[in-house]
Amino acid sequence: MNALRAVLVFIGVVALLALVHTLVDRPSEPCFNNDETRHVMTGVFFRDAFVDQPWDHPRDYAVRYYQQYPALGLLVWPPLFYVLEGLAMLAAGTSIVTAKALIACFAVLAAGYLFRMVLWTHDLFTATVTVLLFGFSPLGFDFSRQVMLEMPAVAWCLMALYYGARYVEEERRRDLVFATIGFILAALTRFDVLFLVPVFLILLIARRRLTLLRRKSVLAALLIAVVCLAPVYALTALEFGSVHVRSIRGGSTAETSTFLAPLNLYYYPARVNQQIGWFAIAPLLLGLFTGLWTMPHASFWPYAAVVGGVYVTFSPLGELESRHVIYWVPALALFAAAGLHLLAAWLRLAPLRFVLAGIVVGGAAGLACRQPASQLRGYEPLAAYIVANTHETPVVLFDGAFNGNFIYQMRRHDEERRLTILRGDKLLANAPTEDASGSATGGAEAILATLFRFDPEFLIVEDPVSPDMPATSERLHDALATHPERFREETVFPIEGNLCWFPGKELRVYRSVLRNPVRDEDPGRGLGSMLKIGMPRRGPP
């Protein structure tokens, strides 16, 4: 009966979270942090790979695919989520709705493991409040509706933590097996889940179980994890190690520090309100700082180890973003729920805990509903127009910050995959900025020569140019606008949304008038010196 009650309560919690998401959801094209465009498009790549089955030449297939659709996340992130996303798209289509539904499934999985874990360490009330606080937290709520890797990684990490903590306490081999599987799945989703290593070290030290590391079964589990992860991690280090090292040292976002800078030591604790919300701060502090004395150690240390492991892993890094510490939000939610329980016990008013929980959870839900999701629209109708009106040359050029969204929309509407998209930032990367005399006309002539060489039928630019785009974007805009004898402006599509860096922007569509009968048909040459996938540009958080 107790198990059935717990199941019914969990179903009710998930239903409530789903209802709130449904009420506040607004349709949008992929745009969040610009990474979302790559996450969606890479899922489409795996969907197409499952259809084409290039198993005898996977690398050549990936290169050719990228030459046609240069907006992938291959090797930049581990492949597991994309494989699952590709399978989902194979069954349900390439719409972003399919990708968001998969994220929702991972959110339910994360909630399920968090609920089971708190039920194991505490009680049904605490488990219920913990899941609700996590679900309505700024990070938990936001990343349950964006096609990002945070929620899938959190789900696998909670799986590993649940079974790993049980193994530390009960030493059942079954728990060790599932903890190992959870760790491998997490590490094949995001690289930063390696924070689990210090988490388990802290837990083993605190629970005085370090001798477990000498057991053959544990050593075998570690060996299996290394064998499963080594090929992916080694290939990524070889191809993109320098990119990740730069992020560690100096970051790539608006709030950037340096590795081990003093600012880093308090950055994440000082922004805990951005992670779990204001309403949970007071009970969180109460539960966290009294937990060591008020909770059994077996119930306290799994969550305290997560807080400590996340802090020592992410605080030194140069790239500072609150979303990186989403992994400790479930633990913070547990301490907040425990704090509410403790406060009611101190006041000797047991029913008060339900009132307090209602106030805190309700406040968190209200703030979550007021937190608008990133929205962007305009690229999909543009892509549909381009696909329907391209008849002479199966090549289109796009230049803009959200090239990944445009490329995804083009692939989605071009079911026969007949069109190739060239990115302006790559195509023009090697164009000179001036001639020998110092005149800027040399740059314009180089741009015109490059465009004539590859002969795109349509050329689309975002107007005005985003500030983080290269200088060639401005020169491309000038070339299109000042040479009407070569490029005819055909139409304009407005960009709609709530991104602070896109107000008043438009997508200008030019048709090439001067055609090249002997154009260069090798799209790989249009990618400049960088054929690798590369990290996408990111806008303000």
Side-chain angles (χ1 to χ4, degrees), residues 75-123:
L75 300 182
V76 179
W77 296 280
L80 178 60
F81 174 77
Y82 306 126
V83 172
L84 299 176
E85 187 181 23
L87 291 172
M89 288 181 170
L90 191 63
T94 58
S95 169
I96 190 176
V97 175
T98 302
K100 287 192 172 185
L102 182 61
I103 293 295
C105 291
F106 275 108
V108 173
L109 182 65
Y113 273 114
L114 180 59
F115 189 83
R116 290 185 67 184
M117 184 166 180
V118 180
L119 204 58
W120 173 62
T121 58
H122 290 75
D123 52 59

Side-chain angles (χ1 to χ4, degrees), residues 463-518:
D463 186 28
V465 178
S466 297
D468 64 337
M469 292 298 292
T472 52
S473 294
E474 287 284 1
R475 292 189 285 122
L476 172 62
H477 284 221
D478 292 342
L480 297 178
T482 58
H483 290 82
E485 76 284 359
R486 297 187 59 169
F487 310 104
R488 182 180 70 244
E489 183 174 335
E490 187 156 306
T491 185
V492 175
F493 286 82
I495 299 177
E496 302 174 351
N498 60 3
L499 298 183
C500 62
W501 53 326
F502 261 71
K505 283 212 169 198
E506 298 175 325
L507 296 164
R508 296 194 173 274
V509 180
Y510 292 86
R511 182 184 288 273
S512 179
V513 178
L514 180 64
R515 309 315 307 274
N516 183 358
V518 289

Side-chain angles (χ1 to χ4, degrees), residues 133-290:
L133 287 178
F134 173 62
F136 286 126
S137 67
L139 292 182
F141 194 81
D142 213 17
F143 286 98
S144 295
R145 56 182 174 175
Q146 312 288 358
V147 186
M148 298 287 285
L149 301 181
E150 277 75 8
M151 193 53 64
V154 168
W156 298 131
C157 286
L158 286 170
M159 174 185 176
L161 183 65
Y162 170 65
Y163 289 111
R166 284 170 61 100
Y167 178 74
V168 170
E169 297 300 328
E170 302 172 7
E171 300 182 15
R172 294 189 301 182
R173 187 167 296 182
R174 175 179 175 273
D175 290 327
L176 176 61
V177 170
F178 282 105
T180 304
I181 294 173
F183 175 76
I184 293 172
L185 294 175
L188 289 175
T189 302
R190 278 185 68 94
F191 295 116
D192 59 6
V193 301
L194 295 180
F195 81 92
L196 286 172
V197 174
V199 166
F200 282 116
L201 284 176
I202 294 172
L203 182 59
L204 289 170
I205 293 171
R207 299 299 295 139
R208 299 179 181 179
R209 297 285 198 275
L210 277 174
T211 54
L212 290 175
L213 294 177
R214 296 203 297 263
R215 291 195 176 179
K216 292 182 179 179
S217 56
V218 174
L219 294 175
L222 293 174
L223 180 61
I224 291 171
V226 170
V227 170
C228 291
L229 299 177
V232 174
Y233 279 57
L235 183 59
T236 299
L238 179 65
E239 298 289 342
F240 280 95
S242 60
V243 174
H244 293 292
V245 169
R246 284 198 301 271
S247 295
I248 291 172
R249 289 179 176 175
S252 59
T253 61
E255 295 191 75
T256 294
S257 178
T258 58
F259 187 70
L260 289 177
L263 161 68
N264 303 11
L265 299 178
Y266 60 85
Y267 179 86
Y268 291 114
R271 289 160 178 76
V272 70
N273 62 294
Q274 299 175 6
Q275 303 151 27
I276 195 169
W278 285 109
F279 278 86
I281 296 295
L284 159 63
L285 296 176
L286 178 62
L288 178 62
F289 291 116
T290 64

